[in-house]
Amino acid sequence: MSDLSHNILFEHPLNEKVRTWLRLEFLLQQLQDNRTLTNLTDTLSFFRTTSELLDIIDRGDVRTELVKELERQQQKLAQWIDVPGVDVERLNTLRHTLKDQSSVLLAAPRLGQALKEDRLISMVRQRLSIPGGCCSFDLPVLHMWLNNPKQERDEQVAEWLATVTPLHNALNTCLNMIRQSGEFQTQTSVNGFYQDNAEDCDILRIQIDSSHQIYPQVSGHKTRFAIRFMPFDSERGETPERFHFKIACC
């Protein structure tokens, strides 16, 4: 085995709600990581990610689903109160955190509305679907903004990100609680295939040693799933007849 081998984590949603949440998490993390806009390439990436985020938010009632999940997690925690040996203080602190995040999310303005109404974001979104549509002659206001003092631009970006902070916090909490609900177990794939039950689970988390150079293709829903392991090199790669991997049903 190579000294460079390590486990690669793959996650697969088992329902549409979590599918949306994982995509939102993916985009929100990109916005956080790319908040320092120093050149046109970084800036266009930031605005493109913002546009995709707004597109997803517009497709469903994300706020309602997150509030329901925060309440569900509070109820699950309440069931542990009378269990011997439980850290009641920590449990109550977590319950209060969930309750507070739910209240903040409910009190927040309509998700994404402030970003949709921002003049600069709106102008850039209109040009993103056009190949090369953000050139200086197409969108001079963007290039003017890029020449503003960096501190001024950083403050503007911070204001934009603050408008989605309630969403970001609630989403992180919900997904973290779901992920922590399942423990990794070692399983064996036979002829590149594995299947099992997933009663009332939301996410499959699959760890594979990178030295195998294979990845999972998952099909499934909330009660059952199947995994087909595929070689990264589809022409010359091979899937081992038997190999171990770790999986958590959360």
Side-chain angles (χ1 to χ4, degrees), residues 3 13 102 125 159-160 173 192 223 228 237 250:
D3 291 338
S102 179
R125 287 187 76 195
E159 289 179 11
W160 288 334
T173 298
T223 59
R228 175 68 66 182
C250 308

Side-chain angles (χ1 to χ4, degrees), residues 82-120:
D82 297 325
V83 175
V86 167
D87 188 337
V88 176
E89 183 178 352
R90 185 169 182 271
L91 200 63
N92 285 330
T93 298
L94 185 52
R95 290 176 64 195
H96 285 309
T97 298
L98 295 174
K99 184 177 181 179
D100 290 343
Q101 289 189 350
S102 179
S103 299
V104 171
L105 189 61
L106 283 171
R110 183 178 177 184
L111 296 181
Q113 192 62 32
L115 297 178
K116 291 174 66 175
E117 293 177 350
D118 185 90
R119 176 172 172 267
L120 181 58

